[in-house]
PDB file of all heavy atoms in Angstrom:
ATOM      1  N   VAL A   1     135.478 -14.284  87.776  1.00 98.00           N
ATOM      2  CA  VAL A   1     136.936 -14.252  87.774  1.00 98.00           C
ATOM      3  C   VAL A   1     137.431 -13.125  88.672  1.00 98.00           C
ATOM      4  O   VAL A   1     137.076 -11.968  88.487  1.00 98.00           O
ATOM      5  CB  VAL A   1     137.468 -14.052  86.345  1.00 98.00           C
ATOM      6  CG1 VAL A   1     138.986 -13.901  86.362  1.00 98.00           C
ATOM      7  CG2 VAL A   1     137.053 -15.215  85.453  1.00 98.00           C
ATOM      8  N   VAL A   2     138.256 -13.500  89.654  1.00 97.00           N
ATOM      9  CA  VAL A   2     138.889 -12.535  90.553  1.00 97.00           C
ATOM     10  C   VAL A   2     140.392 -12.811  90.489  1.00 97.00           C
ATOM     11  O   VAL A   2     140.922 -13.606  91.257  1.00 97.00           O
ATOM     12  CB  VAL A   2     138.365 -12.672  91.993  1.00 97.00           C
ATOM     13  CG1 VAL A   2     138.931 -11.561  92.874  1.00 97.00           C
ATOM     14  CG2 VAL A   2     136.845 -12.649  92.029  1.00 97.00           C
ATOM     15  N   PRO A   3     141.102 -12.188  89.550  1.00 93.00           N
ATOM     16  CA  PRO A   3     142.512 -12.533  89.322  1.00 93.00           C
ATOM     17  C   PRO A   3     143.384 -12.295  90.548  1.00 93.00           C
ATOM     18  O   PRO A   3     143.126 -11.410  91.360  1.00 93.00           O
ATOM     19  CB  PRO A   3     142.920 -11.598  88.173  1.00 93.00           C
ATOM     20  CG  PRO A   3     141.637 -11.212  87.517  1.00 93.00           C
ATOM     21  CD  PRO A   3     140.632 -11.153  88.625  1.00 93.00           C
ATOM     22  N   CYS A   4     144.427 -13.114  90.636  1.00 90.00           N
ATOM     23  CA  CYS A   4     145.388 -12.979  91.733  1.00 90.00           C
ATOM     24  C   CYS A   4     146.784 -12.744  91.177  1.00 90.00           C
ATOM     25  O   CYS A   4     147.243 -11.616  91.089  1.00 90.00           O
ATOM     26  CB  CYS A   4     145.360 -14.223  92.622  1.00 90.00           C
ATOM     27  SG  CYS A   4     146.541 -14.198  93.995  1.00 90.00           S
ATOM     28  N   GLU A   5     147.465 -13.799  90.761  1.00 82.00           N
ATOM     29  CA  GLU A   5     148.847 -13.693  90.301  1.00 82.00           C
ATOM     30  C   GLU A   5     148.962 -13.363  88.817  1.00 82.00           C
ATOM     31  O   GLU A   5     149.933 -12.744  88.389  1.00 82.00           O
ATOM     32  CB  GLU A   5     149.595 -15.005  90.596  1.00 82.00           C
ATOM     33  CG  GLU A   5     149.693 -15.353  92.072  1.00 82.00           C
ATOM     34  CD  GLU A   5     150.615 -14.415  92.831  1.00 82.00           C
ATOM     35  OE1 GLU A   5     151.541 -13.866  92.212  1.00 82.00           O
ATOM     36  OE2 GLU A   5     150.392 -14.234  94.049  1.00 82.00           O
ATOM     37  N   VAL A   6     148.008 -13.837  88.012  1.00 88.00           N
ATOM     38  CA  VAL A   6     148.078 -13.639  86.564  1.00 88.00           C
ATOM     39  C   VAL A   6     146.732 -13.153  86.041  1.00 88.00           C
ATOM     40  O   VAL A   6     145.683 -13.409  86.641  1.00 88.00           O
ATOM     41  CB  VAL A   6     148.475 -14.942  85.837  1.00 88.00           C
ATOM     42  CG1 VAL A   6     149.886 -15.354  86.216  1.00 88.00           C
ATOM     43  CG2 VAL A   6     147.501 -16.067  86.146  1.00 88.00           C
ATOM     44  N   ALA A   7     146.768 -12.447  84.921  1.00 91.00           N
ATOM     45  CA  ALA A   7     145.543 -11.971  84.288  1.00 91.00           C
ATOM     46  C   ALA A   7     144.781 -13.152  83.694  1.00 91.00           C
ATOM     47  O   ALA A   7     145.371 -14.143  83.261  1.00 91.00           O
ATOM     48  CB  ALA A   7     145.871 -10.957  83.207  1.00 91.00           C
ATOM     49  N   VAL A   8     143.467 -13.039  83.684  1.00 94.00           N
ATOM     50  CA  VAL A   8     142.608 -14.067  83.104  1.00 94.00           C
ATOM     51  C   VAL A   8     141.863 -13.445  81.934  1.00 94.00           C
ATOM     52  O   VAL A   8     141.122 -12.474  82.123  1.00 94.00           O
ATOM     53  CB  VAL A   8     141.610 -14.613  84.140  1.00 94.00           C
ATOM     54  CG1 VAL A   8     140.734 -15.695  83.516  1.00 94.00           C
ATOM     55  CG2 VAL A   8     142.346 -15.161  85.360  1.00 94.00           C
ATOM     56  N   PRO A   9     142.042 -13.963  80.726  1.00 95.00           N
ATOM     57  CA  PRO A   9     141.386 -13.369  79.556  1.00 95.00           C
ATOM     58  C   PRO A   9     139.871 -13.378  79.684  1.00 95.00           C
ATOM     59  O   PRO A   9     139.284 -14.252  80.321  1.00 95.00           O
ATOM     60  CB  PRO A   9     141.845 -14.264  78.400  1.00 95.00           C
ATOM     61  CG  PRO A   9     143.078 -14.945  78.896  1.00 95.00           C
ATOM     62  CD  PRO A   9     142.893 -15.115  80.371  1.00 95.00           C
ATOM     63  N   ALA A  10     139.244 -12.393  79.059  1.00 94.00           N
ATOM     64  CA  ALA A  10     137.782 -12.331  79.031  1.00 94.00           C
ATOM     65  C   ALA A  10     137.240 -13.443  78.143  1.00 94.00           C
ATOM     66  O   ALA A  10     137.907 -13.918  77.228  1.00 94.00           O
ATOM     67  CB  ALA A  10     137.326 -10.975  78.511  1.00 94.00           C
ATOM     68  N   ALA A  11     136.017 -13.882  78.443  1.00 95.00           N
ATOM     69  CA  ALA A  11     135.338 -14.905  77.652  1.00 95.00           C
ATOM     70  C   ALA A  11     133.844 -14.772  77.912  1.00 95.00           C
ATOM     71  O   ALA A  11     133.430 -14.218  78.945  1.00 95.00           O
ATOM     72  CB  ALA A  11     135.830 -16.301  78.019  1.00 95.00           C
ATOM     73  N   PRO A  12     133.002 -15.262  77.006  1.00 94.00           N
ATOM     74  CA  PRO A  12     131.548 -15.110  77.163  1.00 94.00           C
ATOM     75  C   PRO A  12     130.992 -15.679  78.461  1.00 94.00           C
ATOM     76  O   PRO A  12     130.002 -15.164  79.000  1.00 94.00           O
ATOM     77  CB  PRO A  12     130.988 -15.861  75.946  1.00 94.00           C
ATOM     78  CG  PRO A  12     132.068 -15.775  74.930  1.00 94.00           C
ATOM     79  CD  PRO A  12     133.347 -15.871  75.707  1.00 94.00           C
ATOM     80  N   SER A  13     131.618 -16.739  78.988  1.00 95.00           N
ATOM     81  CA  SER A  13     131.095 -17.360  80.211  1.00 95.00           C
ATOM     82  C   SER A  13     131.716 -16.789  81.472  1.00 95.00           C
ATOM     83  O   SER A  13     131.451 -17.279  82.568  1.00 95.00           O
ATOM     84  CB  SER A  13     131.354 -18.872  80.174  1.00 95.00           C
ATOM     85  OG  SER A  13     132.749 -19.128  80.111  1.00 95.00           O
ATOM     86  N   ARG A  14     132.541 -15.731  81.342  1.00 97.00           N
ATOM     87  CA  ARG A  14     133.265 -15.175  82.477  1.00 97.00           C
ATOM     88  C   ARG A  14     132.818 -13.747  82.779  1.00 97.00           C
ATOM     89  O   ARG A  14     132.609 -12.950  81.880  1.00 97.00           O
ATOM     90  CB  ARG A  14     134.769 -15.168  82.196  1.00 97.00           C
ATOM     91  CG  ARG A  14     135.333 -16.525  81.876  1.00 97.00           C
ATOM     92  CD  ARG A  14     136.795 -16.445  81.451  1.00 97.00           C
ATOM     93  NE  ARG A  14     137.286 -17.757  81.023  1.00 97.00           N
ATOM     94  CZ  ARG A  14     138.487 -17.969  80.512  1.00 97.00           C
ATOM     95  NH1 ARG A  14     139.335 -16.959  80.374  1.00 97.00           N
ATOM     96  NH2 ARG A  14     138.844 -19.191  80.143  1.00 97.00           N
ATOM     97  N   VAL A  15     132.721 -13.450  84.080  1.00 97.00           N
ATOM     98  CA  VAL A  15     132.454 -12.092  84.556  1.00 97.00           C
ATOM     99  C   VAL A  15     133.638 -11.699  85.427  1.00 97.00           C
ATOM    100  O   VAL A  15     134.000 -12.422  86.353  1.00 97.00           O
ATOM    101  CB  VAL A  15     131.145 -12.022  85.364  1.00 97.00           C
ATOM    102  CG1 VAL A  15     130.941 -10.621  85.918  1.00 97.00           C
ATOM    103  CG2 VAL A  15     129.964 -12.435  84.493  1.00 97.00           C
ATOM    104  N   GLN A  16     134.251 -10.580  85.119  1.00 96.00           N
ATOM    105  CA  GLN A  16     135.456 -10.148  85.823  1.00 96.00           C
ATOM    106  C   GLN A  16     135.085  -9.270  87.027  1.00 96.00           C
ATOM    107  O   GLN A  16     134.173  -8.450  86.952  1.00 96.00           O
ATOM    108  CB  GLN A  16     136.357  -9.343  84.881  1.00 96.00           C
ATOM    109  CG  GLN A  16     136.824 -10.116  83.656  1.00 96.00           C
ATOM    110  CD  GLN A  16     138.090 -10.899  83.895  1.00 96.00           C
ATOM    111  OE1 GLN A  16     138.798 -10.688  84.885  1.00 96.00           O
ATOM    112  NE2 GLN A  16     138.405 -11.816  82.991  1.00 96.00           N
ATOM    113  N   ARG A  17     135.832  -9.467  88.120  1.00 96.00           N
ATOM    114  CA  ARG A  17     135.666  -8.632  89.310  1.00 96.00           C
ATOM    115  C   ARG A  17     137.051  -8.396  89.895  1.00 96.00           C
ATOM    116  O   ARG A  17     137.861  -9.326  89.982  1.00 96.00           O
ATOM    117  CB  ARG A  17     134.761  -9.318  90.334  1.00 96.00           C
ATOM    118  CG  ARG A  17     134.441  -8.456  91.558  1.00 96.00           C
ATOM    119  CD  ARG A  17     133.525  -9.192  92.540  1.00 96.00           C
ATOM    120  NE  ARG A  17     133.342  -8.445  93.763  1.00 96.00           N
ATOM    121  CZ  ARG A  17     132.370  -7.575  93.973  1.00 96.00           C
ATOM    122  NH1 ARG A  17     131.474  -7.362  93.020  1.00 96.00           N
ATOM    123  NH2 ARG A  17     132.278  -6.921  95.117  1.00 96.00           N
ATOM    124  N   GLU A  18     137.321  -7.177  90.308  1.00 95.00           N
ATOM    125  CA  GLU A  18     138.655  -6.825  90.783  1.00 95.00           C
ATOM    126  C   GLU A  18     139.029  -7.565  92.053  1.00 95.00           C
ATOM    127  O   GLU A  18     140.169  -8.002  92.227  1.00 95.00           O
ATOM    128  CB  GLU A  18     138.752  -5.315  91.004  1.00 95.00           C
ATOM    129  CG  GLU A  18     140.140  -4.846  91.391  1.00 95.00           C
ATOM    130  CD  GLU A  18     140.240  -3.339  91.488  1.00 95.00           C
ATOM    131  OE1 GLU A  18     139.394  -2.643  90.881  1.00 95.00           O
ATOM    132  OE2 GLU A  18     141.154  -2.850  92.172  1.00 95.00           O
ATOM    133  N   SER A  19     138.093  -7.709  92.985  1.00 96.00           N
ATOM    134  CA  SER A  19     138.352  -8.435  94.227  1.00 96.00           C
ATOM    135  C   SER A  19     137.022  -8.903  94.807  1.00 96.00           C
ATOM    136  O   SER A  19     135.944  -8.571  94.299  1.00 96.00           O
ATOM    137  CB  SER A  19     139.087  -7.548  95.236  1.00 96.00           C
ATOM    138  OG  SER A  19     138.183  -6.692  95.911  1.00 96.00           O
ATOM    139  N   LEU A  20     137.111  -9.671  95.889  1.00 98.00           N
ATOM    140  CA  LEU A  20     135.906 -10.142  96.579  1.00 98.00           C
ATOM    141  C   LEU A  20     135.430  -9.165  97.643  1.00 98.00           C
ATOM    142  O   LEU A  20     134.409  -9.408  98.291  1.00 98.00           O
ATOM    143  CB  LEU A  20     136.181 -11.507  97.213  1.00 98.00           C
ATOM    144  CG  LEU A  20     136.347 -12.669  96.232  1.00 98.00           C
ATOM    145  CD1 LEU A  20     136.848 -13.911  96.965  1.00 98.00           C
ATOM    146  CD2 LEU A  20     135.036 -12.967  95.507  1.00 98.00           C
ATOM    147  N   VAL A  21     136.129  -8.074  97.816  1.00 98.00           N
ATOM    148  CA  VAL A  21     135.743  -7.066  98.807  1.00 98.00           C
ATOM    149  C   VAL A  21     134.358  -6.525  98.475  1.00 98.00           C
ATOM    150  O   VAL A  21     134.094  -6.097  97.351  1.00 98.00           O
ATOM    151  CB  VAL A  21     136.766  -5.926  98.861  1.00 98.00           C
ATOM    152  CG1 VAL A  21     136.269  -4.809  99.775  1.00 98.00           C
ATOM    153  CG2 VAL A  21     138.125  -6.426  99.325  1.00 98.00           C
ATOM    154  N   GLY A  22     133.469  -6.574  99.459  1.00 96.00           N
ATOM    155  CA  GLY A  22     132.132  -6.010  99.285  1.00 96.00           C
ATOM    156  C   GLY A  22     131.186  -6.864  98.469  1.00 96.00           C
ATOM    157  O   GLY A  22     130.099  -6.387  98.094  1.00 96.00           O
ATOM    158  N   LEU A  23     131.542  -8.107  98.181  1.00 97.00           N
ATOM    159  CA  LEU A  23     130.649  -8.969  97.403  1.00 97.00           C
ATOM    160  C   LEU A  23     129.328  -9.166  98.138  1.00 97.00           C
ATOM    161  O   LEU A  23     129.301  -9.528  99.310  1.00 97.00           O
ATOM    162  CB  LEU A  23     131.303 -10.332  97.162  1.00 97.00           C
ATOM    163  CG  LEU A  23     130.496 -11.293  96.269  1.00 97.00           C
ATOM    164  CD1 LEU A  23     130.608 -10.871  94.806  1.00 97.00           C
ATOM    165  CD2 LEU A  23     130.981 -12.731  96.449  1.00 97.00           C
ATOM    166  N   ARG A  24     128.207  -8.954  97.429  1.00 95.00           N
ATOM    167  CA  ARG A  24     126.870  -9.102  97.996  1.00 95.00           C
ATOM    168  C   ARG A  24     126.102 -10.172  97.220  1.00 95.00           C
ATOM    169  O   ARG A  24     126.455 -10.480  96.075  1.00 95.00           O
ATOM    170  CB  ARG A  24     126.102  -7.791  97.903  1.00 95.00           C
ATOM    171  CG  ARG A  24     126.765  -6.600  98.580  1.00 95.00           C
ATOM    172  CD  ARG A  24     126.109  -5.302  98.108  1.00 95.00           C
ATOM    173  NE  ARG A  24     126.296  -5.121  96.673  1.00 95.00           N
ATOM    174  CZ  ARG A  24     125.620  -4.229  95.936  1.00 95.00           C
ATOM    175  NH1 ARG A  24     124.714  -3.457  96.502  1.00 95.00           N
ATOM    176  NH2 ARG A  24     125.858  -4.127  94.635  1.00 95.00           N
ATOM    177  N   PRO A  25     125.045 -10.732  97.797  1.00 95.00           N
ATOM    178  CA  PRO A  25     124.239 -11.703  97.051  1.00 95.00           C
ATOM    179  C   PRO A  25     123.755 -11.162  95.715  1.00 95.00           C
ATOM    180  O   PRO A  25     123.737 -11.892  94.721  1.00 95.00           O
ATOM    181  CB  PRO A  25     123.068 -11.981  98.009  1.00 95.00           C
ATOM    182  CG  PRO A  25     123.650 -11.784  99.364  1.00 95.00           C
ATOM    183  CD  PRO A  25     124.599 -10.629  99.218  1.00 95.00           C
ATOM    184  N   VAL A  26     123.399  -9.878  95.667  1.00 95.00           N
ATOM    185  CA  VAL A  26     122.937  -9.303  94.407  1.00 95.00           C
ATOM    186  C   VAL A  26     124.046  -9.297  93.364  1.00 95.00           C
ATOM    187  O   VAL A  26     123.790  -9.419  92.159  1.00 95.00           O
ATOM    188  CB  VAL A  26     122.377  -7.877  94.625  1.00 95.00           C
ATOM    189  CG1 VAL A  26     123.480  -6.897  95.024  1.00 95.00           C
ATOM    190  CG2 VAL A  26     121.645  -7.392  93.382  1.00 95.00           C
ATOM    191  N   ASP A  27     125.299  -9.180  93.800  1.00 96.00           N
ATOM    192  CA  ASP A  27     126.422  -9.227  92.864  1.00 96.00           C
ATOM    193  C   ASP A  27     126.588 -10.631  92.285  1.00 96.00           C
ATOM    194  O   ASP A  27     126.928 -10.789  91.108  1.00 96.00           O
ATOM    195  CB  ASP A  27     127.718  -8.810  93.561  1.00 96.00           C
ATOM    196  CG  ASP A  27     127.660  -7.396  94.104  1.00 96.00           C
ATOM    197  OD1 ASP A  27     127.123  -6.513  93.414  1.00 96.00           O
ATOM    198  OD2 ASP A  27     128.152  -7.183  95.235  1.00 96.00           O
TER     199      ASP A  27
END
């Protein structure tokens, strides 16, 4: 989950990330 206009609630199947900046394969 990389929110844009609205917040996205946490859930067991979700991993939150502030933005896609610097995303690597290991991430």
Side-chain angles (χ1 to χ4, degrees):
V1 175
V2 186
C4 178
E5 298 290 332
V6 295
V8 181
S13 61
R14 303 174 185 175
V15 176
Q16 300 273 346
R17 185 180 174 91
E18 185 175 339
S19 81
L20 290 170
V21 173
L23 184 76
R24 303 165 297 166
V26 68
D27 299 319

